[in-house]
């Protein structure tokens, strides 16, 4: 069993920020990642609202964050934490490779993609349905695809896809988009993005691979078949914390924290997209990580003073 004072679970922007702050404070910790460091930004094609970062490429930003960890001699522990329980005054983390014990937890596990809920949907994942335009967009070069959703992700990724594919059908269930005005303007200017607002997908067609979808308008009660070979789903996310095996206070399904990111469970912090907050962006994620790490530093100092 590996014993480390703090465990950060998830190496997205919030986890990486927490790691940098803990390192500077000289606090021993482990930073866990089960997949690719960088979190969602490693799968994002375009970033233009993170101050100081003018490059705009998500993968590049994820790589730069990783490089910054290396420069600060912070290693990532590549293990998937499957379960967290309470063991007296500590937390026991069961990973795929090892078991760990920590006094403080920083949960930075983010969110996972929501499913559409259509019949046969699972069958087409990786065979026409994708959650990642950046990863799979090139497979649909000069073909017709659809994007589902009306938030920042759907519009940003529609713009990205429009430079690869021949046509993007952007399908949104309401007339108004949820995305930022600037993005809406850009999307409307693109000739090969066709807007299907107030439309829902009703049916998926295809044998082995997706061959088309049936959409229905909620205004006209009309059905239409769109002969697409790719469907990119951007309908939001749900918080990912099923590894936590003890009761924890939530709000609207997300983990509730105080101003210092501490949850209803003492010494258990939630940072980034997994926690209840108004704005889920890189800028707020890195801020969460810094605040929580600083609070852990303060708690340790108080404890040290009490013990003297
Ligand atoms: P989101 O903002 O939650 O938008 C999800 C979209 O999917 C909404 O338009 C929603 O419609 C639609 N939707 C939800 N369930 C659906 C269903 N079952 N069928 C059809 N449509 C459905 O998700 P997101 O765009 O992925 O963004 C997530 C968070 O990350 C947001 O806070 C966003 O601002 C942030 N983000 C920021 C940036 C950026 O700043 N550049 C980029 C990407 C994401 P309704 O509108 O009708 O609810």
């Amino acid at each position: 069993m590996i014993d480390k004072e703090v465990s950060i679970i998830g190496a997205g922007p919030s986890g990486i920020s927490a790691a940098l702050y803990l390192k500077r404070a000289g606090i021993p910790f482990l930073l866990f990642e089960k997949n690719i460091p960088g979190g969602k930004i490693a799968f994002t094609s375009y970033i233009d609202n993170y101050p100081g970062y003018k490059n705009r490429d998500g993968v590049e930003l994820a790589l730069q964050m990783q490089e910054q960890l290396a420069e600060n001699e912070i290693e990532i522990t590549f293990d998937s934490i499957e379960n967290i329980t309470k063991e007296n005054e500590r937390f026991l983390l069961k990973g795929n490779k090892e078991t760990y014990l920590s006094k403080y937890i920083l949960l930075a596990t983010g969110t996972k993609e929501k499913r559409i809920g259509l019949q046969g949907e699972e069958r087409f994942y990786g065979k026409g349905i994708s959650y990642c335009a950046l990863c799979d967009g090139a497979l649909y070069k000069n073909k017709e695809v659809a994007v589902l959703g009306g938030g920042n992700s759907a519009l940003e990724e529609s713009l990205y896809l429009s430079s690869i594919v021949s046509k993007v059908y952007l399908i949104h269930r309401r007339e108004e988009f949820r995305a930022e005005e600037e993005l809406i303007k850009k999307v409307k200017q693109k000739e090969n993005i066709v807007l299907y607002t107030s439309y829902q997908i009703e049916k998926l067609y295809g044998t082995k691979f997706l061959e088309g979808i049936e959409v229905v308008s909620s205004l006209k009660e009309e059905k239409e078949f769109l002969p697409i070979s790719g469907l990119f789903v951007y309908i939001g996310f749900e918080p990912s914390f099923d590894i936590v095996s003890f009761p924890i206070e939530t709000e609207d399904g997300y983990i509730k924290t105080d101003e210092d990111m501490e949850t209803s469970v003492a010494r258990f912090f939630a940072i980034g997209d997994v926690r209840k907050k108004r704005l889920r962006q890189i800028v707020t994620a890195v801020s969460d990580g810094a605040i929580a790490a600083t609070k852990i530093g303060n708690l340790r100092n108080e404890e040290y003073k009490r013990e003297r």
Side-chain angles (χ1 to χ4, degrees):
M1 177 145 21
I2 298 172
D3 194 335
K4 211 46 129 203
E5 192 160 356
V6 185
S7 280
I8 307 170
I9 307 165
S14 68
I16 289 176
S17 160
L20 290 169
Y21 274 73
L22 289 174
K23 180 76 183 183
R24 282 161 64 100
I27 301 171
F29 66 92
L30 286 173
L31 171 60
F32 293 102
E33 177 55 55
K34 65 173 176 183
N35 199 350
I36 302 171
K40 284 206 171 53
I41 56 172
F43 301 96
T44 303
S45 54
Y46 194 73
I47 288 162
D48 70 352
N49 55 359
Y50 187 49
Y53 185 67
K54 295 189 288 183
N55 184 312
R56 298 182 172 183
D57 184 314
V59 180
E60 181 58 36
L61 181 57
L63 286 172
Q64 285 187 18
M65 287 188 183
Q66 223 177 312
E67 273 168 31
Q68 200 176 358
L69 288 176
E71 279 163 16
N72 283 278
E73 292 171 5
I74 298 170
E75 266 181 40
I76 298 174
T77 305
F78 286 97
D79 196 357
S80 174
I81 303 301
E82 301 292 323
N83 186 34
I84 312 173
T85 49
K86 276 200 274 187
E87 257 324 269
N88 303 318
E89 284 297 289
R90 316 246 267 170
F91 299 98
L92 187 72
L93 292 81
K94 285 238 165 73
N96 266 344
K97 298 181 186 158
E98 268 284 358
T99 302
Y100 311 84
L101 203 57
S102 277
K103 187 168 181 184
Y104 298 93
I105 300 288
L106 284 160
L107 190 76
T109 42
T111 53
K112 53 182 181 236
E113 296 88 354
K114 261 179 27 187
R115 297 284 203 238
I116 320 171
L118 286 170
Q119 210 182 350
E121 183 178 345
E122 299 299 325
R123 188 160 65 88
F124 289 118
Y125 278 102
K127 291 180 178 144
I129 300 187
S130 167
Y131 281 120
C132 181
L134 191 62
C135 325
D136 301 331
L139 300 173
Y140 302 95
K141 197 168 182 325
N142 299 328
K143 291 182 179 166
E144 295 192 1
V145 302
V147 170
L148 181 66
N152 282 333
S153 301
L155 272 72
E156 266 176 7
E157 302 311 320
S158 293
L159 284 170
Y160 171 73
L161 286 165
S162 70
S163 61
I164 302 171
V165 304
S166 61
K167 194 190 265 185
V168 178
Y169 298 97
L170 176 56
I171 303 163
H172 176 41
R173 64 183 176 184
R174 288 186 300 127
E175 265 317 282
E176 296 78 31
F177 287 110
R178 185 181 287 270
E180 289 161 8
E181 272 312 312
E182 197 58 30
L183 275 173
I184 301 172
K185 222 158 79 188
K186 281 186 189 161
V187 159
K188 285 185 173 166
Q189 281 164 358
K190 280 274 172 188
E191 271 176 17
N192 65 340
I193 301 182
V194 186
L195 302 186
Y196 272 69
T197 49
S198 297
Y199 270 87
Q200 301 249 41
I201 301 178
E202 199 154 88
K203 223 167 164 186
L204 305 167
Y205 289 92
T207 41
K208 201 166 172 213
F209 293 92
L210 186 72
E211 287 161 19
I213 53 175
E214 186 174 82
V215 291
V216 59
S217 157
S218 54
L219 302 176
K220 298 180 275 182
E221 297 285 328
E222 261 175 25
K223 287 184 181 177
E224 198 178 323
F225 177 79
L226 303 178
I228 52 149
S229 44
L231 171 62
F232 292 86
V233 182
Y234 288 104
I235 58 170
F237 299 90
E238 29 193 40
S240 173
F241 59 93
D242 25 344
I243 57 171
V244 181
S245 301
F246 42 83
I248 192 160
E249 234 178 273
T250 59
E251 194 180 331
D252 301 331
Y254 289 82
I255 298 180
K256 208 171 157 182
T257 67
D258 64 13
E259 260 188 59
D260 290 313
M261 314 300 145
E262 197 166 6
T263 68
S264 56
V265 178
R267 290 173 287 98
F268 193 95
F269 293 75
I271 53 176
D273 285 2
V274 73
R275 79 176 188 95
K276 167 73 187 170
K277 64 202 289 193
R278 287 218 184 93
L279 188 64
R280 290 195 173 80
Q281 303 216 327
I282 308 167
V283 74
T284 58
V286 295
S287 156
D288 286 0
I291 291 170
T294 307
K295 175 69 181 184
I296 290 177
N298 294 342
L299 288 174
R300 284 176 92 239
N301 289 343
E302 282 165 23
E303 246 173 62
Y304 179 68
K305 276 186 209 151
R306 269 200 307 272
E307 281 164 12
R308 280 180 78 199

